[in-house]
PDB file of all heavy atoms in Angstrom:
ATOM      1  N   ALA A   1      20.000   4.581 -23.190  1.00 98.00           N
ATOM      2  CA  ALA A   1      19.923   5.554 -22.104  1.00 98.00           C
ATOM      3  C   ALA A   1      18.444   5.696 -21.629  1.00 98.00           C
ATOM      4  O   ALA A   1      18.196   5.836 -20.409  1.00 98.00           O
ATOM      5  CB  ALA A   1      20.583   6.779 -22.430  1.00 98.00           C
ATOM      6  N   ALA A   2      17.513   5.785 -22.531  1.00 98.00           N
ATOM      7  CA  ALA A   2      16.156   6.010 -22.126  1.00 98.00           C
ATOM      8  C   ALA A   2      15.710   4.836 -21.334  1.00 98.00           C
ATOM      9  O   ALA A   2      14.949   4.914 -20.289  1.00 98.00           O
ATOM     10  CB  ALA A   2      15.334   6.239 -23.395  1.00 98.00           C
ATOM     11  N   ARG A   3      15.925   3.601 -21.741  1.00 97.00           N
ATOM     12  CA  ARG A   3      15.479   2.393 -21.078  1.00 97.00           C
ATOM     13  C   ARG A   3      16.095   2.351 -19.679  1.00 97.00           C
ATOM     14  O   ARG A   3      15.342   2.066 -18.711  1.00 97.00           O
ATOM     15  CB  ARG A   3      15.909   1.156 -21.861  1.00 97.00           C
ATOM     16  CG  ARG A   3      15.436  -0.083 -21.355  1.00 97.00           C
ATOM     17  CD  ARG A   3      15.743  -1.373 -22.130  1.00 97.00           C
ATOM     18  NE  ARG A   3      15.193  -2.550 -21.495  1.00 97.00           N
ATOM     19  CZ  ARG A   3      14.026  -3.060 -21.650  1.00 97.00           C
ATOM     20  NH1 ARG A   3      13.052  -2.367 -22.321  1.00 97.00           N
ATOM     21  NH2 ARG A   3      13.670  -4.203 -21.053  1.00 97.00           N
ATOM     22  N   GLN A   4      17.292   2.665 -19.516  1.00 97.00           N
ATOM     23  CA  GLN A   4      17.957   2.769 -18.132  1.00 97.00           C
ATOM     24  C   GLN A   4      17.201   3.782 -17.352  1.00 97.00           C
ATOM     25  O   GLN A   4      16.983   3.548 -16.093  1.00 97.00           O
ATOM     26  CB  GLN A   4      19.391   3.071 -18.233  1.00 97.00           C
ATOM     27  CG  GLN A   4      20.211   3.093 -16.916  1.00 97.00           C
ATOM     28  CD  GLN A   4      19.972   1.681 -16.153  1.00 97.00           C
ATOM     29  OE1 GLN A   4      20.019   0.610 -16.809  1.00 97.00           O
ATOM     30  NE2 GLN A   4      19.741   1.719 -14.862  1.00 97.00           N
ATOM     31  N   HIS A   5      16.878   5.012 -17.778  1.00 95.00           N
ATOM     32  CA  HIS A   5      16.221   6.005 -17.143  1.00 95.00           C
ATOM     33  C   HIS A   5      14.880   5.467 -16.698  1.00 95.00           C
ATOM     34  O   HIS A   5      14.568   5.615 -15.444  1.00 95.00           O
ATOM     35  CB  HIS A   5      15.993   7.172 -18.089  1.00 95.00           C
ATOM     36  CG  HIS A   5      15.195   8.302 -17.541  1.00 95.00           C
ATOM     37  ND1 HIS A   5      15.575   9.560 -17.608  1.00 95.00           N
ATOM     38  CD2 HIS A   5      13.930   8.314 -17.033  1.00 95.00           C
ATOM     39  CE1 HIS A   5      14.684  10.362 -17.080  1.00 95.00           C
ATOM     40  NE2 HIS A   5      13.647   9.624 -16.814  1.00 95.00           N
ATOM     41  N   ILE A   6      14.150   4.811 -17.607  1.00 94.00           N
ATOM     42  CA  ILE A   6      12.844   4.350 -17.232  1.00 94.00           C
ATOM     43  C   ILE A   6      12.916   3.254 -16.108  1.00 94.00           C
ATOM     44  O   ILE A   6      12.061   3.205 -15.135  1.00 94.00           O
ATOM     45  CB  ILE A   6      12.159   3.814 -18.548  1.00 94.00           C
ATOM     46  CG1 ILE A   6      11.824   4.957 -19.548  1.00 94.00           C
ATOM     47  CG2 ILE A   6      10.852   3.005 -18.213  1.00 94.00           C
ATOM     48  CD1 ILE A   6      11.325   4.559 -20.865  1.00 94.00           C
ATOM     49  N   ILE A   7      13.859   2.356 -16.290  1.00 95.00           N
ATOM     50  CA  ILE A   7      13.945   1.257 -15.347  1.00 95.00           C
ATOM     51  C   ILE A   7      14.239   1.897 -13.882  1.00 95.00           C
ATOM     52  O   ILE A   7      13.658   1.517 -12.879  1.00 95.00           O
ATOM     53  CB  ILE A   7      15.019   0.329 -15.706  1.00 95.00           C
ATOM     54  CG1 ILE A   7      14.578  -0.614 -16.863  1.00 95.00           C
ATOM     55  CG2 ILE A   7      15.589  -0.494 -14.553  1.00 95.00           C
ATOM     56  CD1 ILE A   7      15.605  -1.444 -17.477  1.00 95.00           C
ATOM     57  N   ALA A   8      15.193   2.968 -13.811  1.00 94.00           N
ATOM     58  CA  ALA A   8      15.532   3.535 -12.605  1.00 94.00           C
ATOM     59  C   ALA A   8      14.298   4.168 -11.901  1.00 94.00           C
ATOM     60  O   ALA A   8      13.979   4.029 -10.778  1.00 94.00           O
ATOM     61  CB  ALA A   8      16.570   4.598 -12.706  1.00 94.00           C
ATOM     62  N   ASP A   9      13.384   4.813 -12.795  1.00 89.00           N
ATOM     63  CA  ASP A   9      12.171   5.470 -12.283  1.00 89.00           C
ATOM     64  C   ASP A   9      11.134   4.441 -11.908  1.00 89.00           C
ATOM     65  O   ASP A   9      10.518   4.563 -10.889  1.00 89.00           O
ATOM     66  CB  ASP A   9      11.702   6.451 -13.314  1.00 89.00           C
ATOM     67  CG  ASP A   9      12.437   7.767 -13.456  1.00 89.00           C
ATOM     68  OD1 ASP A   9      13.401   7.922 -12.574  1.00 89.00           O
ATOM     69  OD2 ASP A   9      12.115   8.541 -14.249  1.00 89.00           O
ATOM     70  N   LEU A  10      10.992   3.372 -12.622  1.00 91.00           N
ATOM     71  CA  LEU A  10      10.020   2.301 -12.324  1.00 91.00           C
ATOM     72  C   LEU A  10      10.416   1.668 -11.028  1.00 91.00           C
ATOM     73  O   LEU A  10       9.462   1.377 -10.226  1.00 91.00           O
ATOM     74  CB  LEU A  10      10.062   1.228 -13.357  1.00 91.00           C
ATOM     75  CG  LEU A  10       9.402   1.570 -14.890  1.00 91.00           C
ATOM     76  CD1 LEU A  10       9.509   0.452 -15.773  1.00 91.00           C
ATOM     77  CD2 LEU A  10       7.838   1.874 -14.569  1.00 91.00           C
ATOM     78  N   LYS A  11      11.657   1.433 -10.773  1.00 92.00           N
ATOM     79  CA  LYS A  11      12.060   0.768  -9.538  1.00 92.00           C
ATOM     80  C   LYS A  11      11.666   1.651  -8.323  1.00 92.00           C
ATOM     81  O   LYS A  11      11.395   1.164  -7.304  1.00 92.00           O
ATOM     82  CB  LYS A  11      13.528   0.592  -9.461  1.00 92.00           C
ATOM     83  CG  LYS A  11      13.888  -0.629 -10.331  1.00 92.00           C
ATOM     84  CD  LYS A  11      15.379  -0.977 -10.347  1.00 92.00           C
ATOM     85  CE  LYS A  11      15.692  -2.146 -11.091  1.00 92.00           C
ATOM     86  NZ  LYS A  11      17.154  -2.463 -11.117  1.00 92.00           N
ATOM     87  N   MET A  12      11.608   3.005  -8.502  1.00 87.00           N
ATOM     88  CA  MET A  12      11.149   3.939  -7.466  1.00 87.00           C
ATOM     89  C   MET A  12       9.720   3.742  -7.182  1.00 87.00           C
ATOM     90  O   MET A  12       9.182   4.040  -6.088  1.00 87.00           O
ATOM     91  CB  MET A  12      11.366   5.294  -7.899  1.00 87.00           C
ATOM     92  CG  MET A  12      12.796   5.700  -8.088  1.00 87.00           C
ATOM     93  SD  MET A  12      13.903   5.653  -6.621  1.00 87.00           S
ATOM     94  CE  MET A  12      13.231   6.938  -5.660  1.00 87.00           C
ATOM     95  N   GLU A  13       8.862   3.149  -8.143  1.00 84.00           N
ATOM     96  CA  GLU A  13       7.461   2.864  -7.942  1.00 84.00           C
ATOM     97  C   GLU A  13       7.187   1.413  -7.533  1.00 84.00           C
ATOM     98  O   GLU A  13       6.142   0.980  -7.508  1.00 84.00           O
ATOM     99  CB  GLU A  13       6.786   3.260  -9.242  1.00 84.00           C
ATOM    100  CG  GLU A  13       6.883   4.655  -9.532  1.00 84.00           C
ATOM    101  CD  GLU A  13       6.001   5.142 -10.816  1.00 84.00           C
ATOM    102  OE1 GLU A  13       4.984   4.454 -11.031  1.00 84.00           O
ATOM    103  OE2 GLU A  13       6.445   6.083 -11.552  1.00 84.00           O
ATOM    104  N   GLY A  14       8.256   0.684  -7.189  1.00 88.00           N
ATOM    105  CA  GLY A  14       8.082  -0.634  -6.761  1.00 88.00           C
ATOM    106  C   GLY A  14       8.191  -1.718  -7.833  1.00 88.00           C
ATOM    107  O   GLY A  14       7.973  -2.949  -7.610  1.00 88.00           O
ATOM    108  N   TRP A  15       8.419  -1.270  -9.031  1.00 91.00           N
ATOM    109  CA  TRP A  15       8.540  -2.258 -10.156  1.00 91.00           C
ATOM    110  C   TRP A  15       9.909  -3.067  -9.985  1.00 91.00           C
ATOM    111  O   TRP A  15      10.858  -2.499  -9.479  1.00 91.00           O
ATOM    112  CB  TRP A  15       8.578  -1.482 -11.523  1.00 91.00           C
ATOM    113  CG  TRP A  15       8.826  -2.323 -12.699  1.00 91.00           C
ATOM    114  CD1 TRP A  15       7.766  -2.824 -13.511  1.00 91.00           C
ATOM    115  CD2 TRP A  15       9.979  -2.541 -13.368  1.00 91.00           C
ATOM    116  NE1 TRP A  15       8.401  -3.488 -14.533  1.00 91.00           N
ATOM    117  CE2 TRP A  15       9.699  -3.343 -14.495  1.00 91.00           C
ATOM    118  CE3 TRP A  15      11.408  -2.270 -13.155  1.00 91.00           C
ATOM    119  CZ2 TRP A  15      10.724  -3.790 -15.436  1.00 91.00           C
ATOM    120  CZ3 TRP A  15      12.356  -2.771 -13.982  1.00 91.00           C
ATOM    121  CH2 TRP A  15      11.969  -3.490 -15.175  1.00 91.00           C
ATOM    122  N   THR A  16       9.812  -4.347 -10.294  1.00 93.00           N
ATOM    123  CA  THR A  16      11.127  -5.140 -10.328  1.00 93.00           C
ATOM    124  C   THR A  16      11.316  -5.649 -11.684  1.00 93.00           C
ATOM    125  O   THR A  16      10.402  -5.752 -12.487  1.00 93.00           O
ATOM    126  CB  THR A  16      11.014  -6.299  -9.363  1.00 93.00           C
ATOM    127  OG1 THR A  16      10.023  -7.263  -9.821  1.00 93.00           O
ATOM    128  CG2 THR A  16      10.593  -5.883  -7.959  1.00 93.00           C
ATOM    129  N   GLU A  17      12.536  -6.068 -11.893  1.00 92.00           N
ATOM    130  CA  GLU A  17      12.881  -6.646 -13.231  1.00 92.00           C
ATOM    131  C   GLU A  17      12.215  -7.931 -13.639  1.00 92.00           C
ATOM    132  O   GLU A  17      12.234  -8.355 -14.739  1.00 92.00           O
ATOM    133  CB  GLU A  17      14.416  -6.717 -13.490  1.00 92.00           C
ATOM    134  CG  GLU A  17      14.976  -5.354 -13.329  1.00 92.00           C
ATOM    135  CD  GLU A  17      16.428  -5.230 -13.886  1.00 92.00           C
ATOM    136  OE1 GLU A  17      16.746  -6.018 -14.687  1.00 92.00           O
ATOM    137  OE2 GLU A  17      17.153  -4.329 -13.294  1.00 92.00           O
ATOM    138  N   SER A  18      11.559  -8.587 -12.622  1.00 95.00           N
ATOM    139  CA  SER A  18      10.776  -9.710 -12.960  1.00 95.00           C
ATOM    140  C   SER A  18       9.389  -9.288 -13.412  1.00 95.00           C
ATOM    141  O   SER A  18       8.651 -10.170 -13.969  1.00 95.00           O
ATOM    142  CB  SER A  18      10.671 -10.661 -11.692  1.00 95.00           C
ATOM    143  OG  SER A  18      10.012 -10.016 -10.607  1.00 95.00           O
ATOM    144  N   ASP A  19       8.961  -8.016 -13.225  1.00 95.00           N
ATOM    145  CA  ASP A  19       7.703  -7.595 -13.659  1.00 95.00           C
ATOM    146  C   ASP A  19       7.860  -7.339 -15.182  1.00 95.00           C
ATOM    147  O   ASP A  19       8.862  -7.020 -15.700  1.00 95.00           O
ATOM    148  CB  ASP A  19       7.329  -6.237 -13.037  1.00 95.00           C
ATOM    149  CG  ASP A  19       7.046  -6.508 -11.525  1.00 95.00           C
ATOM    150  OD1 ASP A  19       6.495  -7.598 -11.176  1.00 95.00           O
ATOM    151  OD2 ASP A  19       7.351  -5.494 -10.775  1.00 95.00           O
ATOM    152  N   PRO A  20       6.680  -7.273 -15.926  1.00 96.00           N
ATOM    153  CA  PRO A  20       6.773  -6.997 -17.298  1.00 96.00           C
ATOM    154  C   PRO A  20       7.103  -5.495 -17.505  1.00 96.00           C
ATOM    155  O   PRO A  20       6.773  -4.602 -16.676  1.00 96.00           O
ATOM    156  CB  PRO A  20       5.391  -7.245 -17.853  1.00 96.00           C
ATOM    157  CG  PRO A  20       4.394  -7.277 -16.607  1.00 96.00           C
ATOM    158  CD  PRO A  20       5.344  -7.665 -15.431  1.00 96.00           C
ATOM    159  N   PHE A  21       7.731  -5.147 -18.541  1.00 95.00           N
ATOM    160  CA  PHE A  21       8.002  -3.847 -18.952  1.00 95.00           C
ATOM    161  C   PHE A  21       6.776  -3.153 -19.539  1.00 95.00           C
ATOM    162  O   PHE A  21       6.208  -3.789 -20.355  1.00 95.00           O
ATOM    163  CB  PHE A  21       9.232  -3.778 -19.871  1.00 95.00           C
ATOM    164  CG  PHE A  21       9.893  -2.394 -19.952  1.00 95.00           C
ATOM    165  CD1 PHE A  21      10.886  -2.152 -19.168  1.00 95.00           C
ATOM    166  CD2 PHE A  21       9.535  -1.509 -20.936  1.00 95.00           C
ATOM    167  CE1 PHE A  21      11.536  -0.865 -19.229  1.00 95.00           C
ATOM    168  CE2 PHE A  21      10.078  -0.260 -20.935  1.00 95.00           C
ATOM    169  CZ  PHE A  21      11.102   0.042 -20.035  1.00 95.00           C
ATOM    170  N   PRO A  22       6.367  -2.003 -18.947  1.00 95.00           N
ATOM    171  CA  PRO A  22       5.114  -1.424 -19.455  1.00 95.00           C
ATOM    172  C   PRO A  22       5.194  -1.227 -20.999  1.00 95.00           C
ATOM    173  O   PRO A  22       6.138  -0.797 -21.557  1.00 95.00           O
ATOM    174  CB  PRO A  22       5.081  -0.112 -18.715  1.00 95.00           C
ATOM    175  CG  PRO A  22       5.973  -0.212 -17.618  1.00 95.00           C
ATOM    176  CD  PRO A  22       7.010  -1.158 -17.947  1.00 95.00           C
ATOM    177  N   LYS A  23       4.041  -1.498 -21.694  1.00 96.00           N
ATOM    178  CA  LYS A  23       4.017  -1.408 -23.092  1.00 96.00           C
ATOM    179  C   LYS A  23       3.633  -0.018 -23.553  1.00 96.00           C
ATOM    180  O   LYS A  23       4.173   0.400 -24.549  1.00 96.00           O
ATOM    181  CB  LYS A  23       3.024  -2.426 -23.661  1.00 96.00           C
ATOM    182  CG  LYS A  23       3.406  -3.835 -23.412  1.00 96.00           C
ATOM    183  CD  LYS A  23       2.337  -4.758 -23.960  1.00 96.00           C
ATOM    184  CE  LYS A  23       2.613  -6.215 -23.410  1.00 96.00           C
ATOM    185  NZ  LYS A  23       1.446  -7.119 -23.711  1.00 96.00           N
ATOM    186  N   ASP A  24       2.756   0.599 -22.895  1.00 92.00           N
ATOM    187  CA  ASP A  24       2.215   1.852 -23.238  1.00 92.00           C
ATOM    188  C   ASP A  24       1.435   2.500 -22.099  1.00 92.00           C
ATOM    189  O   ASP A  24       1.471   1.856 -21.054  1.00 92.00           O
ATOM    190  CB  ASP A  24       1.286   1.772 -24.502  1.00 92.00           C
ATOM    191  CG  ASP A  24       0.157   0.799 -24.310  1.00 92.00           C
ATOM    192  OD1 ASP A  24      -0.315   0.584 -23.189  1.00 92.00           O
ATOM    193  OD2 ASP A  24      -0.410   0.229 -25.341  1.00 92.00           O
ATOM    194  N   GLU A  25       0.833   3.606 -22.320  1.00 88.00           N
ATOM    195  CA  GLU A  25       0.186   4.367 -21.252  1.00 88.00           C
ATOM    196  C   GLU A  25      -0.818   3.516 -20.584  1.00 88.00           C
ATOM    197  O   GLU A  25      -0.946   3.356 -19.286  1.00 88.00           O
ATOM    198  CB  GLU A  25      -0.311   5.675 -21.733  1.00 88.00           C
ATOM    199  CG  GLU A  25      -0.971   6.484 -20.597  1.00 88.00           C
ATOM    200  CD  GLU A  25      -1.435   7.929 -21.026  1.00 88.00           C
ATOM    201  OE1 GLU A  25      -1.092   8.340 -22.128  1.00 88.00           O
ATOM    202  OE2 GLU A  25      -2.118   8.460 -20.274  1.00 88.00           O
ATOM    203  N   GLY A  26      -1.638   2.756 -21.349  1.00 86.00           N
ATOM    204  CA  GLY A  26      -2.790   2.001 -20.794  1.00 86.00           C
ATOM    205  C   GLY A  26      -2.222   0.879 -19.938  1.00 86.00           C
ATOM    206  O   GLY A  26      -2.695   0.591 -18.787  1.00 86.00           O
ATOM    207  N   HIS A  27      -1.163   0.257 -20.428  1.00 90.00           N
ATOM    208  CA  HIS A  27      -0.549  -0.959 -19.750  1.00 90.00           C
ATOM    209  C   HIS A  27       0.047  -0.430 -18.440  1.00 90.00           C
ATOM    210  O   HIS A  27       0.016  -0.991 -17.354  1.00 90.00           O
ATOM    211  CB  HIS A  27       0.473  -1.636 -20.656  1.00 90.00           C
ATOM    212  CG  HIS A  27       1.051  -2.829 -20.071  1.00 90.00           C
ATOM    213  ND1 HIS A  27       2.360  -3.227 -20.076  1.00 90.00           N
ATOM    214  CD2 HIS A  27       0.366  -3.995 -19.435  1.00 90.00           C
ATOM    215  CE1 HIS A  27       2.491  -4.354 -19.529  1.00 90.00           C
ATOM    216  NE2 HIS A  27       1.380  -4.833 -19.105  1.00 90.00           N
ATOM    217  N   TYR A  28       0.674   0.790 -18.558  1.00 86.00           N
ATOM    218  CA  TYR A  28       1.426   1.446 -17.396  1.00 86.00           C
ATOM    219  C   TYR A  28       0.379   1.596 -16.241  1.00 86.00           C
ATOM    220  O   TYR A  28       0.557   1.188 -15.121  1.00 86.00           O
ATOM    221  CB  TYR A  28       2.013   2.699 -17.787  1.00 86.00           C
ATOM    222  CG  TYR A  28       2.874   3.382 -16.836  1.00 86.00           C
ATOM    223  CD1 TYR A  28       4.348   3.158 -16.950  1.00 86.00           C
ATOM    224  CD2 TYR A  28       2.492   4.157 -15.750  1.00 86.00           C
ATOM    225  CE1 TYR A  28       5.214   3.782 -16.081  1.00 86.00           C
ATOM    226  CE2 TYR A  28       3.341   4.692 -14.910  1.00 86.00           C
ATOM    227  CZ  TYR A  28       4.627   4.561 -15.011  1.00 86.00           C
ATOM    228  OH  TYR A  28       5.586   5.086 -14.133  1.00 86.00           O
ATOM    229  N   LYS A  29      -0.811   2.174 -16.580  1.00 86.00           N
ATOM    230  CA  LYS A  29      -1.874   2.377 -15.643  1.00 86.00           C
ATOM    231  C   LYS A  29      -2.454   1.044 -15.068  1.00 86.00           C
ATOM    232  O   LYS A  29      -2.642   0.924 -13.864  1.00 86.00           O
ATOM    233  CB  LYS A  29      -2.977   3.234 -16.233  1.00 86.00           C
ATOM    234  CG  LYS A  29      -2.715   4.561 -16.551  1.00 86.00           C
ATOM    235  CD  LYS A  29      -3.892   5.246 -17.193  1.00 86.00           C
ATOM    236  CE  LYS A  29      -3.612   6.631 -17.705  1.00 86.00           C
ATOM    237  NZ  LYS A  29      -4.765   7.195 -18.365  1.00 86.00           N
ATOM    238  N   LYS A  30      -2.584   0.069 -16.016  1.00 90.00           N
ATOM    239  CA  LYS A  30      -3.169  -1.244 -15.599  1.00 90.00           C
ATOM    240  C   LYS A  30      -2.239  -1.925 -14.616  1.00 90.00           C
ATOM    241  O   LYS A  30      -2.664  -2.540 -13.620  1.00 90.00           O
ATOM    242  CB  LYS A  30      -3.354  -2.141 -16.788  1.00 90.00           C
ATOM    243  CG  LYS A  30      -4.040  -3.466 -16.521  1.00 90.00           C
ATOM    244  CD  LYS A  30      -4.296  -4.150 -17.817  1.00 90.00           C
ATOM    245  CE  LYS A  30      -4.988  -5.474 -17.498  1.00 90.00           C
ATOM    246  NZ  LYS A  30      -5.236  -6.215 -18.842  1.00 90.00           N
TER     247      LYS A  30
END
């Protein structure tokens, strides 16, 4: 459920499923 939540939110920021899944806070920012 958490992963689905995160994916839904990431998509709102322009992330696509072909992009890497963020590893941690630093990677998220990068």
Side-chain angles (χ1 to χ4, degrees):
R3 185 175 179 84
Q4 183 59 40
H5 174 128
I6 292 169
I7 288 171
D9 286 356
L10 287 173
K11 286 180 177 180
M12 298 295 294
E13 296 186 31
W15 179 88
T16 68
E17 295 196 32
S18 63
D19 293 326
F21 198 87
K23 296 175 187 173
D24 55 27
E25 184 175 345
H27 188 225
Y28 193 98
K29 289 178 185 177
K30 187 175 181 181

